[in-house]
Amino acid sequence: MTASTLVDRIRQPEYTGENRCMPCTIVNVVIAAGLSLLLGFVWAPLVVISFAIFVAAIYTRGYLVPGTPTLTKRYFPDRVLRWFDKEPSPTEMGVQSDVGLGTGEKPSFDVEAVLQEAGALEPCEDIDDLCLTADFESEWAREIERTDDAAVRKRLASILGVDEEQVTLKQRDRWFAAAVDGVYVGQWDSHAALTADVATDVALEPRLDGWDGFGNDQRSALARGLRIYLDSCPDCGGNVEFGEETAESCCRSWEVLVIRCDDCGSRLFEIDLSEVEEAPA
């Protein structure tokens, strides 16, 4: 058995590489250092030897003490875990550059007002809320129906100013991502969410003057703002349902409000439940 084969056998991919939990790693390195110092009292060279072995174990397995990921999630304060968390937050899905439709950044303009100006939303007749206008709902549904992956790549390429062939789409952990020449430029809650956002972008363009002047973060916010009005899934065509779930990353877990496709389970929208509860009335 070669050394590389042995490493592959003991490696735990779910706790290493991109999935590595940094709080777990830090805690285990501290424990390893303490144990090595104690062993050094028995025989001085053991300090270096044992520490090297412990670090190798942490590198290949993600932790030294069994159960560390569970313990850190349970006992570390959430504010500490957030410092190390690589998972995009439910309300601010990360992008690696200021491009794309998946930023989810909080806009510096009134999303609902702009959508009403575009004729996409209007006051509901029977409740104190906003609803889709009939003509936009029909237009949006038609646009979603004809938005396949080729249309998505073409639209993203136009937004990013690259060739369509450079854009690829793929599942990336909990998210559905777009990349240009292998570099991730945006990620969405799901393939269905991306389809809806691209269809929204196309449908809104002729309805708003100066569309080219809207920043990518603003266009993302408009698309995300309309996603909560979906009543059928862009992927499987089934019903859409609201619910509460527990989301998890490498380092922590949190409660979220989720909109999912009932038939295929695609996640259309997700927001930290604490933000909903803390929002002003």
Side-chain angles (χ1 to χ4, degrees):
M1 180 183 297
T2 64
S4 61
T5 302
L6 178 61
V7 170
D8 289 340
R9 290 189 62 177
I10 64 176
R11 186 187 300 275
Q12 296 191 118
E14 64 270 29
Y15 298 120
T16 57
E18 291 187 354
N19 297 322
R20 183 177 296 279
C21 172
M22 290 309 298
C24 301
T25 301
I26 292 171
V27 168
N28 278 266
V29 169
V30 171
I31 292 173
L35 290 175
S36 297
L37 288 174
L38 289 176
L39 290 172
F41 287 110
V42 178
W43 185 43
L46 280 179
V47 174
V48 176
I49 297 172
S50 61
F51 188 69
I53 294 173
F54 293 154
V55 169
I58 295 169
Y59 175 77
T60 55
R61 297 184 59 80
Y63 55 82
L64 180 65
V65 180
T68 303
T70 300
L71 293 174
T72 55
K73 285 183 180 181
R74 182 176 300 169
Y75 296 112
F76 269 47
D78 188 66
R79 64 180 181 275
V80 174
L81 295 177
R82 284 177 181 267
W83 295 343
F84 300 96
D85 199 359
K86 299 185 291 295
E87 180 78 3
S89 74
T91 56
E92 294 182 354
M93 289 189 296
V95 290
Q96 281 64 48
S97 59
D98 185 23
V99 294
L101 297 174
T103 65
E105 295 178 6
K106 296 180 180 179
S108 58
F109 70 118
D110 190 329
V111 172
E112 291 183 348
V114 174
L115 290 174
Q116 289 184 79
E117 178 188 343
L121 295 180
E122 64 182 358
C124 302
E125 293 183 357
D126 51 352
I127 58 174
D128 184 19
D129 203 348
L130 293 175
C131 295
L132 293 173
T133 62
D135 64 324
F136 181 80
E137 185 173 14
S138 299
E139 181 182 343
W140 191 27
R142 288 194 298 270
E143 197 60 52
I144 288 175
E145 187 174 351
R146 57 175 170 250
T147 301
D148 56 12
D149 282 356
V152 168
R153 286 194 296 270
K154 182 177 181 179
R155 188 69 176 184
L156 292 181
S158 174
I159 292 172
L160 302 174
V162 299
D163 293 334
E164 186 178 338
E165 293 74 18
Q166 294 176 263
V167 180
T168 55
L169 309 172
K170 64 178 295 185
Q171 190 71 36
R172 189 187 188 198
D173 299 324
R174 297 178 64 241
W175 312 99
F176 193 80
V180 173
D181 292 335
V183 178
Y184 289 107
V185 294
Q187 47 196 7
W188 288 257
D189 290 280
S190 64
H191 178 273
L194 172 56
T195 299
D197 282 8
V198 169
T200 299
D201 198 68
V202 173
L204 286 179
E205 182 174 7
R207 290 171 169 263
L208 289 169
D209 294 334
W211 181 250
D212 291 340
F214 282 79
N216 292 322
D217 58 338
Q218 294 174 322
R219 290 164 72 168
S220 296
L222 293 172
R224 186 174 172 83
L226 279 175
R227 222 187 292 159
I228 62 174
Y229 292 94
L230 287 167
D231 58 10
S232 62
C233 181
D235 270 0
C236 57
N239 293 329
V240 170
E241 62 177 9
F242 289 72
E244 295 181 13
E245 298 179 6
T246 300
E248 293 192 8
S249 68
C250 68
C251 302
R252 65 190 184 96
S253 59
W254 64 95
E255 298 304 309
V256 294
L257 177 65
V258 178
I259 303 175
R260 283 191 184 277
C261 300
D262 195 21
D263 289 348
C264 58
S266 291
R267 192 173 74 251
L268 297 173
F269 187 89
E270 179 180 298
I271 186 171
D272 194 320
L273 194 58
S274 65
E275 295 194 12
V276 177
E277 294 170 346
E278 294 171 3

